[in-house]
Amino acid sequence: MYAEYHRDLLALGYEIIPVKPNGKAPINADWSNFTTKKMLKAAKAHPLASIGLLTENTPCVDVDIPNEELAKLMVDYLRPMFPQSLERIGNAPKTLFICRTDHPFTKMTSKIYIDTDGNKCQVEILGKGQQAVVWGNHATTGKPYHYVGNDIGDVPMCLLDELTPTLSEDVIRQFESYATELGLSEQNATPRRSESVERDDSAGWSIGAATADE
């Protein structure tokens, strides 16, 4: 998969890495510092790899919500907010909105809420130092990731809606408000606020990329 589509995605402005097939872990240890040259070279070494998107310049709203009612509220809120962005689904009702930014920032997370079935519900903003799988088979379902509307191979990165730290905070507050209104209980967790960062940092490959059932 990586070898087949990597040039198309790079031409559209996306920064990509090879990811283990049917998984979420990056193959290369230096993935967070991949240059365009390394992105191209990886196609020969890992032609069948899934494709991960570096989220430094394309931050994502990770709707990590297995509760259908709460997930629907968030999706209905996010779609008109990001009409030009991409919505990628792996294990519904969880979903991911792919946006862009001119001023990279690190991950932001909401509080964690627990529904009556014991499911953990949270919204994360994936940013600097993280990645999300955009093409490949989902680790839990075994089925291909798919998109609502346009596919990532159809839309140049520059046309995506912009996501900023301020807007991210609004998204997180709205999620927490919905969760409270639905009567979900809050798990002890401290939300993390982000600041804009420079490109020369590196970090782990993130909870957003590691969660098997996203």
Side-chain angles (χ1 to χ4, degrees):
M1 175 166 284
Y2 189 93
E4 184 176 359
Y5 296 110
H6 73 294
R7 289 187 180 276
D8 292 338
L9 293 181
L10 289 171
L12 290 172
Y14 297 103
E15 297 172 306
I16 58 173
I17 59 170
V19 173
K20 293 179 180 179
N22 302 307
K24 296 192 175 186
I27 292 175
N28 301 84
D30 62 341
W31 65 270
S32 62
N33 295 314
F34 254 37
T35 60
T36 300
K37 183 178 180 179
K38 289 182 178 180
M39 294 174 194
L40 289 167
K41 187 177 180 180
K44 291 185 178 180
H46 310 289
L48 301 180
S50 295
I51 300 178
L53 175 70
L54 297 180
T55 55
E56 177 176 346
N57 296 304
T58 46
C60 300
V61 180
D62 183 5
V63 182
D64 192 9
I65 305 174
N67 180 284
E68 292 191 6
E69 185 175 7
L70 181 54
K72 184 178 186 305
L73 286 172
M74 279 307 299
V75 168
D76 288 347
Y77 167 76
L78 291 167
R79 281 178 179 165
M81 180 180 289
F82 302 116
Q84 303 303 316
S85 291
L86 301 166
E87 184 182 351
R88 184 231 68 186
I89 296 176
N91 188 14
K94 297 182 179 185
T95 189
L96 184 90
F97 285 81
I98 303 172
C99 305
R100 67 168 180 85
T101 186
D102 295 326
H103 304 285
F105 54 95
T106 53
K107 183 174 79 169
M108 304 172 68
T109 62
S110 72
K111 298 175 183 177
I112 298 174
Y113 291 83
I114 311 297
D115 68 10
T116 55
D117 294 322
N119 296 310
K120 291 184 179 181
C121 302
Q122 187 177 38
V123 166
E124 297 182 311
I125 312 297
L126 307 181
K128 168 69 177 178
Q130 296 179 284
Q131 64 92 19
V133 182
V134 292
W135 265 342
N137 291 331
H138 189 274
T140 299
T141 68
K143 298 179 180 180
Y145 287 92
H146 64 280
Y147 289 78
V148 177
N150 289 322
D151 188 285
I152 191 170
D154 300 326
V155 181
M157 187 266 276
C158 64
L159 297 183
L160 302 178
D161 297 299
E162 183 177 7
L163 180 60
T164 65
T166 299
L167 192 55
S168 297
E169 290 179 342
D170 291 342
V171 170
I172 287 172
R173 278 196 296 267
Q174 186 61 66
F175 160 72
E176 293 176 349
S177 176
Y178 283 148
T180 300
E181 290 172 5
L182 291 178
L184 274 67
S185 59
E186 180 184 334
Q187 177 175 294
N188 291 332
T190 303
R192 294 193 289 177
R193 182 188 175 104
S194 174
E195 300 294 341
S196 295
V197 296
E198 301 300 328
R199 287 190 61 102
D200 57 359
D201 269 319
S202 65
W205 63 278
S206 89
I207 189 172
T211 303
D213 56 355
E214 175 186 292

